[in-house]
Structure formats: structure tokens, C-alpha cells
């Protein structure tokens, strides 16, 4: 990865010599005492660890203060439950938020090591698949920044999302051994251990007072042990914990079995327990549906709820006050067993009455929905559920009784309505509906963009919304600007600071001061210089990794995200092929040089998505080696997309591809990162693209394609796309070329299935949207050629993105869902800077 220089301005403030020598001795002390090395023997990795540990010490001090203050004040706490946290690297993030980036840079320099070299020693923590997990990571940072006492709960996977290697154009998956060199950020908590039970049976027992209780006799126990990672907010004022659970067996080995000589049998239960935290399920937008996944979900939900109840009782003493002191956010349906587990703990362990327990549960829980795709909504077969969690199934039946009675009251005799709102789906084998469970057990259910929240009411949750009106609310996603602007793009940050003042670091709404500079040609030149430098860095990376030379002067056209049919990388490839044909036809026209940059992983089991990766690489092979197009078009697929790679690509992007089939992308956050870094968006009216258009202005974004309702209407008419293909010569030709093996001469039939789908099974409207997309791309060419107008639009994108800060999103959650106070926003700017 190319060096990401530390922001110049951060290197300049006067560095206190005393502070500097303190930092140096702290790092050296760690190197000797925690790593066990002399400075002369230390590897870069050792230095990185020593520096991270020294920094962690400072953060831990603040953390303990934060904890004590919030407990003493009896403050309400937020618990963010998520099976995924796509964290990336933490070193410079923590340094930046602690205000120590410059000092550490200087201290390390004095010690003879480079901060940017050490930065790259840190593995990219990929405990998530994509947007959903990255959102959780941005939220953790924003909650700390806004000084909300919060804990993020998840699983400490031994292996995160797989490492992607491209071999002859095909994706191959390798284990992500992110912990192999240890993890300096986490603190193991061997004393924080909870028992999580599975299986067995339930009996109804009547006690001497005549009260009947359920007694669950499980047959298996797994222990959850906590590992805490401190998450420090901007300016280092507040620190929260990310608490990840690791699984182990209560007895590591059965000695008597071992003594019979059955060595494997003696540790089999240990392996079964530890499998729970072995790896992250690599599926995105499609449920895993396996027993191990259900065990993962229950494991982390149970440990987290036991932990937060214990903390609550330690400080408050009254279980009945739980909802006043705790807000639990469920990130998607993965933690929705929290509804039943909280009920079980309140009733079976803390002996509350059903109605009281239900009141507390719904007042405490809220649920974020991330997808409308029916195939992506989690359900569990009843028999698997009963075998794994028999007591929880009973609770579900009981919840369902009252719930269906309400449905009957609302729509008397309407059997279809009952069937549609029931917690049990009776249509294809009986299954538990986790989305319904999360909905019924929550006081607020939110979508992640305005459009998505509206569609939730019309589609998946139409009937539940009828039964429980006013629960659905919208919370449009956001991103943390500290990572995605300040750290990822120091050049642009300096420029923004010079134009908007340093207050912009605390208050992104000040970005609007850039408006005054958007038409200023000197400022435009500086803006282009920053972008050009970032493009040179990316071009170097492309050359190092892929051996492809690209011109930093070309338009960098970027589509980076999980590979999925609905995200339509295929539409982008088709346009690439059509453009290639057009350039070949008229090589002497003044084509705008383009570099098409793709990155993203496909789920290991998603064969069609993996075939699309191969197609991108096959097209790249032909296009990049065709001298007749004079280098006007290049195609690059960068392997192993993750947060760190995103931090290099995004600042270098000119064009952001956000081209999902309308109605299918819940929000997107990649779209926000790219616009914030000055890329123009070409996109459909889908997810948060709509709100981005509303903020940046329709003239500063290129919208194309069908709208969500048109998609629904066209699908209803059938999926055959011959009508549009006959009308579009470039589309017909591109499909013919792909079908005929023009990009796969070694295996001409390789993409026959792709061509067939484009012609006859156009579920994602790739063919149907092609012409509109192709035309929008030619509009982009024209704008790029116009120069200053392009730069102006880029500057205006940056200037108008403030609303997409995750600080804004978290403030909305805090006010409307959690009912917790946040640090006050900084005062409004005193006076506007004169145009300079
Ligand atoms: C932001 C981000 C995503 C989400 O991208 P979308 O374009 O919104 O799907 C996925 N992966 C990584 C590594 C990210 O940083």
C-alpha cells in the first residue's frame, strides 16, 4: 500500500519537548518490557506493537475516567448488538482522535522508525462483510465522540472475512489470520465469563406457592469470555468499549475419556464450543441458515444480555429500571434472539411477571432493518430452533398468542393477515421469522435511508406496520468523517481547513463554507492538485499489485463494494465493453481516457457473483492489451477489498458508481465516502443516493435508470429483455461479444449463462437500464472534458455532504430511539469567511 502521508498541518503545531520525550520513553518501555526486545533487535512489527501499547495506556486512563463518570451520574447506556464490526486499522485513528498524531510521528521519527511504515503493520480487522459491519464501526466512533456511554457487543472471530486472491481471474478464498501476531488493542477479561446454554428440555414446575414456572434443563454449556477494545472519540474526551466474546468449553478436556486413549473424543466438545467464534459467516445479503450460525447468534446475545443486566444491577440495583438505564440496538435481525433471551432472563431468572417483562423488553429494544430482499430475511426451521433453544421457542409461542389475538382484534376473521404477521411462517415447512420477532419486541424499528424506510412500510413490514403503527422510523446512515476524510485524505483535509477554518474538524456543517470557493479558479486548481496526488498514489498501487500502468490524468471511475447481482457490477462491465467497441470503431475521436476500477468480494458460495469477477478480469485482459485503443480505456480489478484499501481508492476517485437496481440498496455508505472525497456520483434513485442528490443538488450528480416503482412494474410484465436489446445496438453487440467468447477465447462458452440471463432473465434490469446508463456515462465524458465545471461540481459535493456524518445519524438515534443526551453540537460559526 502506498504511504499515506500524515497531514502536513498536523506535523506543524509546536511539539512540546517534554511530551515528546515522555512518548519516546513510553514506547521504549513497552518495547523492552511488553515485547521483550532491544531497540536494535526490534522489527517494524515490534515497534508498531510497542507504539500501540503505549498509546493504549493513555486511552485506558481516559476510559476508566469515562466509565466512572457515567456510572457515578447513573447515566443511561446504549448497547449496540452486532454480529459484525468492520473496523479496519485503529492505530492512526486512535492517534488522530487523541490529538497525538504529530507527537507520535515526531517521537517515532526520533526513534528511527516511520509512522506510516508502522501503520501498515497493523492487520485490517475485518469482522464484517461490508456496509452493515462498517456502519457499526462508524457508529462506535461517533457514540464515543458524542460522549454517549455505550458498549458495542459482538463476537471475537478467530478468522474474519476471508482474504481474496485473484488467480487467473477467478476469486479464491483464504483464511484471514488477523490475530496471528497478537492484537495490542484488546484487553482480555478472564474474569468476565458467562455461561451460555443450549438444547435439552423444558418442564413446567409448580412451586409451593402455586406459581407455575418453566424450568429449562439444557444439555450443553459454552463459556463466553470478554475481550475489550477501547474506542476513543474525537478529541479524546470519551472512550467506550467494544466488547467481543470468545467461546470455550467449560472443561477443556474430559480426563477420563482421554485416559481411555480416545484423544479426539476427549476434546470433541471443546472443538464444538470453540467453533462458535471460529469464523465470520462470509455471506452478505443472504442468510447463512445453518445451526452454527444460530449458535453464534444465541451465544453473543445471551452473553451480552447477561453482562448488561449484571452491570445494570451493580449500579442501579433494580431490574425494573432496566429500560430507564439501558437502550439496546439490534443491528439487523442477527441479534433478534435478544427479544426472547431478555424475556427469559427477566422471567426465569429475575422472576418478573410476563406483562412486566414484556413492557421492559419492548421499551429497551429497538431494531435496525438493513434489507428488503425477501431471500435475505432470516428464518429458522422450527425443528432446528426447538433442538437448539427449546425454552426460547416456548417464549416465541407465548408472544405469538398475544400478538395474534391483537391481529384478530384489528382485522377480525382475516386469516391471511394473521398468517402474514405471525411469528411462524407456515408456508414452506414451519419457520421462525426473525424479522417479525425483532419488530414485535421493539419500540422502534428503523430503516437506513428515507426510501428504504418508506419501502419497509409498503413491503416486508406492511402488515406489522398496520398492527403497530408509528413504530417505523427512518435513520439515514452516515460515516465518520474522522476516518473517511481527515485520515484517508489529508491533502483534501488541509485544503478544507484552509477554506473553512479548523472548526470544521469539530463541526462538519462548516463544510458549507467551501461553497464560496467552488467557482474560484485558484481554489479549483488546488482541489485538482490534491486529487491528482491521490490518483498518483493509487496508480502506484495498481502498478505494484496488478502490473497495469494507468494514467493519473485519466478519469478514475470506481465501483468498490461487495459483488452482488443487485449492485450491478455487470451493468458497469457491459458499458465497459460497449465503450471499448466504440473506441475501437473510431480510435481517433477525442475519447475521455478512463480507468475502470473495481474491487469487492463475492460470497464464497455465490457462483454467479464469482463468475462476474472472472468476467471483469477477462474483459480487463483483452482491453488492457489492445494497442488499437491507444490506452484510452483501462480496466483494473484490485483484489482483497477491505477498509484499508478503500482508504486509498476513495480519495483518488473521480466517479462513484452507485448503480444498484432501484429499490434494492437499503442505503449504501460507500456512496457517501466517495462524494465526501469529491467524486461525482453516477447512480440510480436508490437508497441514500436520493438524499445525496437532495443535498448536493441534481446538477451535481448523474442520475439514470428506472425508479423503484418502474422496476416493480416491469418485473410484473416478465423478465425477457429482448425488447430493449433489439432497440439498442451497443447493448446487443456487447452481449453478443460476451456470448461468443470474445473475452474468453480459452473457453468461449464461459459466459453463456451471463448472456442468457441478460437476454431472458433480466431480474436486476441490467439490460433494461443499459441505454439510460450508457447515455449518462457519455454525459459524464462531456462534463469531464469541460474541466472547471467538473471541479466545481466535485467541490460542491464535498461542501454539501455534512449531513452524512454519522454524528448526525447517532444524534438522531439518541433523540428519537434511545432517549439519551449527547454532547452539544459546537456553536454555529461566528461569521462567514470572505471568499479567498
Ligand atoms: C463502506 C464500505 C462498504 C460498503 O460499501 P457500499 O458501497 O455501501 O456497499 C463495504 N466494504 C468496505 C470495506 C467499506 O469500507
Amino acid at each position: 500500500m502506498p504511504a499515506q502521508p500524515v497531514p502536513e498541518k498536523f506535523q506543524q503545531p509546536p511539539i512540546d519537548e517534554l511530551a515528546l520525550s515522555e512518548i519516546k520513553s513510553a514506547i521504549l518501555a513497552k518495547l523492552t518490557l511488553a515485547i521483550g526486545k532491544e531497540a536494535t533487535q526490534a522489527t517494524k512489527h515490534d515497534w508498531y506493537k510497542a507504539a500501540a501499547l503505549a498509546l493504549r495506556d493513555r486511552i485506558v486512563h481516559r476510559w476508566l475516567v469515562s466509565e466512572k463518570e457515567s456510572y457515578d451520574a447513573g447515566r443511561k447506556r446504549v448497547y449496540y448488538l452486532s454480529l459484525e464490526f468492520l473496523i479496519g486499522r485503529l492505530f492512526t485513528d486512535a492517534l488522530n482522535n487523541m490529538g497525538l498524531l504529530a507527537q507520535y510521528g515526531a517521537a517515532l521519527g526520533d526513534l528511527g522508525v516511520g509512522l506510516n511504515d508502522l501503520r501498515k503493520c497493523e492487520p485490517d480487522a475485518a469482522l464484517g462483510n461490508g456496509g452493515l459491519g462498517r456502519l457499526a464501526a462508524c457508529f462506535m466512533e461517533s457514540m464515543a465522540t458524542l460522549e454517549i456511554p455505550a458498549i458495542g457487543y459482538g463476537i471475537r472471530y478467530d478468522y474474519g472475512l476471508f482474504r481474496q486472491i485473484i488467480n487467473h481471474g477467478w476469486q479464491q478464498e483464504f483464511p484471514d489470520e488477523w490475530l496471528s501476531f497478537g492484537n495490542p488493542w484488546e484487553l482480555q477479561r478472564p474474569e468476565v465469563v458467562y455461561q451460555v446454554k443450549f438444547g435439552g428440555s423444558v418442564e413446567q414446575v409448580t412451586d409451593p406457592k402455586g406459581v407455575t414456572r418453566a424450568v429449562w434443563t439444557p444439555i450443553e454449556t459454552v463459556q463466553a469470555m470478554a475481550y475489550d477494545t477501547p474506542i476513543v472519540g474525537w478529541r479524546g474526551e470519551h472512550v467506550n468499549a467494544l466488547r467481543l466474546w470468545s467461546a470455550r468449553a467449560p472443561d477443556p478436556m474430559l480426563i477420563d475419556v482421554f485416559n481411555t486413549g480416545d484423544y479426539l473424543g476427549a476434546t470433541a466438545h471443546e472443538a464444538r464450543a470453540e467453533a462458535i467464534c471460529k469464523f465470520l459467516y462470509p455471506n452478505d445479503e443472504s442468510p447463512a441458515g445453518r445451526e452454527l450460525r444460530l449458535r453464534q447468534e444465541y451465544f453473543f446475545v445471551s452473553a451480552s444480555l447477561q453482562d448488561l443486566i449484571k452491570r445494570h444491577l451493580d449500579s442501579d440495583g433494580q431490574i425494573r429500571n432496566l429500560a430507564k438505564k439501558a437502550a439496546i440496538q439490534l443491528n439487523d435481525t442477527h441479534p433478534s434472539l435478544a427479544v426472547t433471551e431478555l424475556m427469559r432472563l427477566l422471567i426465569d431468572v429475575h422472576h418478573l411477571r410476563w406483562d412486566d417483562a414484556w413492557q421492559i423488553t419492548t421499551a429497551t429494544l429497538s431494531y435496525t432493518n438493513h434489507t428488503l430482499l425477501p431471500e435475505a430475511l432470516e428464518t429458522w426451521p422450527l425443528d432446528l430452533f426447538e433442538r437448539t433453544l427449546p425454552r426460547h421457542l416456548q417464549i416465541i409461542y407465548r408472544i405469538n398468542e398475544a400478538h395474534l389475538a391483537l391481529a384478530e382484534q384489528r382485522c377480525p376473521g382475516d386469516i391471511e393477515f394473521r398468517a402474514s404477521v405471525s411469528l411462524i411462517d407456515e408456508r414452506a415447512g414451519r419457520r421462525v421469522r426473525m424479522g417479525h420477532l425483532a419488530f414485535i419486541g421493539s419500540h422502534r424499528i428503523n430503516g437506513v435511508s428515507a426510501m428504504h424506510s418508506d419501502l419497509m412500510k409498503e413491503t416486508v413490514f406492511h402488515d406489522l406496520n398496520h398492527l403497530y403503527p408509528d413504530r417505523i422510523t427512518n435513520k439515514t446512515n452516515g460515516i465518520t468523517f474522522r476516518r473517511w476524510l481527515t485520515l484517508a485524505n489529508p491533502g483534501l483535509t488541509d485544503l478544507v481547513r484552509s477554506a473553512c477554518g479548523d472548526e470544521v474538524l469539530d463541526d462538519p456543517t462548516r463544510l458549507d463554507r467551501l461553497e464560496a470557493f467552488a467557482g474560484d479558479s485558484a481554489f479549483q486548481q488546488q482541489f485538482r492538485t490534491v486529487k491528482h496526488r491521490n490518483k498518483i498514489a493509487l496508480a502506484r498501487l495498481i502498478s505494484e499489485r496488478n502490473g497495469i500502468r494507468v494514467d493519473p490524468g485519466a478519469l478514475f471511475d470506481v465501483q468498490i463494494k461487495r459483488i452482488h447481482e443487485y449492485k450491478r457490477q455487470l451493468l458497469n462491465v457491459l458499458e465497459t465493453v460497449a465503450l471499448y467497441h466504440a473506441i475501437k470503431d473510431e480510435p481517433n475521436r477525442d475519447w475521455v481516457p478512463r480507468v475502470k476500477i473495481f474491487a469487492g468480494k463475492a460470497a464464497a458460495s455465490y457462483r454467479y457473483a464469482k463468475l462476474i469477477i472472472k468476467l471483469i478480469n477477462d474483459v480487463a485482459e483483452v482491453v488492457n492489451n489492445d494497442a488499437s485503443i491507444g490506452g484510452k480505456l483501462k480496466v483494473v480489478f484490485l483484489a482483497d477489498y477491505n477498509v484499508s484499501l478503500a482508504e486509498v481508492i476513495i480519495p483518488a476517485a473521480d466517479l462513484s458508481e452507485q448503480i444498484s437496481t432501484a429499490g434494492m440498496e437499503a442505503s449504501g455508505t460507500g456512496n457517501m465516502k466517495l462524494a465526501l472525497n469529491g467524486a461525482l456520483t453516477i447512480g440510480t434513485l436508490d437508497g441514500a443516493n436520493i438524499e445525496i442528490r437532495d443535498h448536493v443538488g441534481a446538477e451535481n450528480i448523474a442520475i439514470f435508470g428506472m425508479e423503484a416503482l418502474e422496476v416493480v412494474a416491469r418485473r410484473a410484465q416478465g423478465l425477457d429483455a429482448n425488447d430493449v436489446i433489439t432497440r439498442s445496438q451497443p447493448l446487443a453487440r456487447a452481449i453478443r461479444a460476451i456470448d461468443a467468447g470474445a473475452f474468453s477465447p480459452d473457453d468461449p462458452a464461459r459466459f453463456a449463462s451471463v448472456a442468457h440471463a441478460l437476454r431472458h432473465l433480466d431480474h436486476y434490469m441490467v439490460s433494461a437500464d443499459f441505454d439510460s446508463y450508457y447515455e449518462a456515462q457519455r454525459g459524464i465524458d462531456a462534463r469531464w472534458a469541460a474541466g472547471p465545471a467538473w471541479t466545481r461540481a466535485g467541490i460542491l459535493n464535498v461542501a454539501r455532504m455534512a449531513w452524512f456524518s454519522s454524528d448526525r445519524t447517532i444524534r438522531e438515534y439518541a433523540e428519537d430511539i434511545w432517549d439519551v443526551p449527547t454532547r452539544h453540537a459546537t456553536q454555529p460559526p461566528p461569521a462567514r469567511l470572505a471568499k479567498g
Side-chain angles (χ1 to χ4, degrees), residues 322-334:
L322 185 69
K324 292 193 193 79
K325 294 296 175 65
I328 303 175
Q329 189 69 36
L330 310 178
N331 194 24
D332 213 289
T333 55
H334 318 146

Side-chain angles (χ1 to χ4, degrees), residues 711-721 723 760-763 765:
V711 169
V712 173
R714 183 169 164 95
R715 264 186 205 152
Q717 291 162 18
L719 294 174
D720 198 283
D723 53 345
H760 306 296
L761 304 163
D762 196 23
H763 186 72
M765 307 285 139

Side-chain angles (χ1 to χ4, degrees), residues 203-207 211-215 347-348 351-352 391:
E203 270 177 288
Q204 301 300 320
V205 176
T206 306
D207 70 13
V211 182
T212 307
R213 298 203 166 281
V215 176
I347 293 167
D348 295 359
H351 304 303
L352 291 189
R391 174 61 181 139

Side-chain angles (χ1 to χ4, degrees), residues 86 130-131 134 484 560-561 567 641-643 646 668-670 673:
L86 189 53
R134 185 53 233 173
W484 295 110
I560 48 174
K561 48 183 76 248
K567 292 182 183 274
Y641 182 52
N642 60 17
V643 172
T669 48
K673 299 168 197 167

Side-chain angles (χ1 to χ4, degrees), residues 68-85:
K68 182 161 170 12
E69 279 174 2
S70 62
Y71 269 109
D72 288 352
R75 286 183 65 185
K76 187 171 182 178
R77 233 162 239 277
V78 173
Y79 300 98
Y80 197 84
L81 269 61
S82 180
L83 261 190
E84 304 193 9
F85 289 91

